[in-house]
Amino acid sequence: MERISWDQYYMAQSHLLALRSTCTRLMVGATIVRDKRIIAGGYNGSVSGSVHCIDEDCYVIDGHCVRTVHAEANALLQCAKFGVPTDGAEIYVTHFPCLQCCKQIIQSGIKKVYYAEDYKNHPYAVELFSEAGVKTQKVGLSDLAIDSEYEAKAEFVKDLLDKLDSVQVDRNQVKSMKEEARQLFKI
């Protein structure tokens, strides 16, 4: 097995952070890196000590959940809180940053934004990144996946295989499929 690239490694960290998100609309994670070292991470969630979207749903105004602090902002705030400089750093985000996060990234001195997925890429954010000399690059994780729907998929395949028992199919083929599904999904 080949080692994953640094970009994939840091992006995988961001995807892992996204699993901590408390917003039910979109799970986002961000990892800030300087000199090949992770200096901060964040995910989108409510203000510390406040109610979370997973508890009382999102608080949506003008199409945006205003209850959450975005992943990029949380990572930047972590650096500020602990006095960790971000000038010249890079950020890896699961989704293209919104306009407000774009401005914060530029102001923090971050020079490169890596993102895994396009998400309502605001034209002005793209323009601002360009004007500020902040490079953006899409980083895919084709060989690496974090599957947050694993349990639901496993249950679906188990049910599907159980139903195959009740129809006219080659019993040896069903038995073989069941064994493969059990090995793949550990069911």
Side-chain angles (χ1 to χ4, degrees):
M1 179 175 142
E2 281 188 46
R3 293 171 67 186
I4 60 174
S5 70
W6 283 112
D7 290 342
Q8 289 179 321
Y9 172 75
Y10 298 128
M11 190 59 73
Q13 294 289 327
S14 293
H15 279 279
L16 191 58
L17 282 162
L19 294 176
R20 290 281 305 151
S21 173
T22 62
C23 185
T24 55
R25 296 185 69 203
L26 185 66
M27 297 171 76
V28 180
T31 304
I32 300 176
V33 175
R34 193 180 65 241
D35 300 325
K36 295 273 188 261
R37 299 286 181 260
I38 295 172
I39 60 173
Y43 52 87
N44 57 327
S46 298
V47 173
S48 296
S50 187
V51 68
H52 295 280
C53 299
I54 57 175
D55 299 324
E56 291 189 12
D57 292 325
C58 292
Y59 183 10
V60 179
I61 297 176
D62 295 330
H64 299 283
C65 179
V66 296
R67 189 183 305 278
T68 61
V69 178
H70 289 192
E72 303 92 324
N74 268 325
L76 290 167
L77 289 166
Q78 187 180 61
C79 287
K81 185 176 184 177
F82 295 106
V84 178
T86 55
D87 198 39
E90 302 172 330
I91 190 167
Y92 291 78
V93 190
T94 56
H95 297 77
F96 192 86
C98 73
L99 181 56
Q100 293 306 314
C101 287
C102 159
K103 293 185 233 178
Q104 293 168 23
I105 289 166
I106 291 168
Q107 289 299 96
S108 73
I110 287 176
K111 294 300 177 196
K112 193 149 189 186
V113 176
Y114 297 91
Y115 64 99
E117 295 180 42
D118 290 302
Y119 182 72
K120 300 179 182 179
N121 301 24
H122 197 287
Y124 188 51
V126 173
E127 181 183 331
L128 285 174
F129 279 142
S130 179
E131 283 177 6
V134 175
K135 294 184 180 9
T136 60
Q137 181 179 331
K138 194 169 188 176
V139 174
L141 289 175
S142 57
D143 296 333
L144 184 67
I146 296 173
D147 189 355
S148 62
E149 299 296 323
Y150 169 82
E151 290 173 343
K153 290 176 183 176
E155 187 63 30
F156 172 77
V157 170
K158 182 181 176 300
D159 289 346
L160 181 64
L161 293 173
D162 288 344
K163 288 177 182 158
L164 279 174
D165 279 336
S166 66
V167 295
Q168 296 291 346
V169 283
D170 181 337
R171 297 290 176 208
N172 289 329
Q173 188 177 15
V174 171
K175 185 178 178 182
S176 173
M177 289 171 65
K178 277 186 167 186
E179 185 54 37
E180 184 177 358
R182 284 187 183 104
Q183 288 176 359
L184 285 172
F185 290 99
K186 310 289 188 248
I187 55 175

